[in-house]
Amino acid sequence: MAEEVFSFSPQLRLKKPAEYKKVFAKPVKSSDQYFTLLAIRNNFDHPRLGLAIAKKNIRKAVQRNVIKRTVRENFRIKQHSLGNIDIVVLARREAVDAPLDLLRKSLERHWLKLVSRCDSCS
């Protein structure tokens, strides 16, 4: 078996507006007080991540960046167990004040939930 790589290379990202649109159209959802995650199956052999951290919800760029880094890092570590899904992460206002380890735990619950829910979606 090849060694697992834990990078966050460009092919693991949603880049084009059309790719985001596809996920927003008919997603499988997972929500809690910090995040809403939307996911759909993709035709690749790896997951892809998109971030939609709204300025309206999280005013300060520094705070948005911390949340984005936390999400990316968590995705990077978990990517090998996610399968072929596209995921868009939306952060809520409450994420700003939450300790980072709480955000990580929240994300890990979401990854598991989305993987099991996406097994039944087409």
Side-chain angles (χ1 to χ4, degrees), residues 22-62:
K22 229 187 211 166
V23 178
F24 280 108
K26 268 192 14 199
V28 173
K29 275 188 187 155
S30 176
S31 294
D32 65 9
Q33 75 255 42
Y34 306 118
F35 297 105
T36 297
L37 274 71
L38 309 172
I40 58 165
R41 282 248 167 259
N42 68 31
N43 300 323
F44 303 99
D45 58 351
H46 55 80
R48 296 189 304 172
L49 177 69
L51 298 168
I53 313 295
K55 207 184 277 187
K56 188 178 97 181
N57 288 345
I58 296 155
R59 285 254 177 259
K60 294 185 176 152
V62 172

Side-chain angles (χ1 to χ4, degrees), residues 46-84:
H46 55 80
R48 296 189 304 172
L49 177 69
L51 298 168
I53 313 295
K55 207 184 277 187
K56 188 178 97 181
N57 288 345
I58 296 155
R59 285 254 177 259
K60 294 185 176 152
V62 172
Q63 295 169 330
R64 284 197 304 278
N65 292 338
V66 166
I67 290 170
K68 286 180 190 175
R69 274 199 301 275
T70 305
V71 173
R72 279 193 212 108
E73 175 73 4
N74 203 278
F75 175 81
R76 200 176 60 71
I77 292 163
K78 292 285 174 197
Q79 65 186 348
H80 300 292
S81 60
L82 295 176
N84 60 330

Side-chain angles (χ1 to χ4, degrees), residues 83-121:
N84 60 330
I85 55 179
D86 286 349
I87 302 168
V88 174
V89 177
L90 299 101
R92 296 175 184 248
R93 282 190 181 91
E94 289 76 11
V96 172
D97 305 316
L100 290 180
D101 61 326
L102 207 62
L103 294 180
R104 288 187 197 105
K105 283 187 185 105
S106 165
L107 286 165
E108 291 185 18
R109 279 194 300 272
H110 286 305
W111 304 138
L112 291 170
K113 210 186 283 184
L114 288 175
V115 168
S116 67
R117 285 184 184 171
C118 262
D119 283 344
S120 60
C121 71

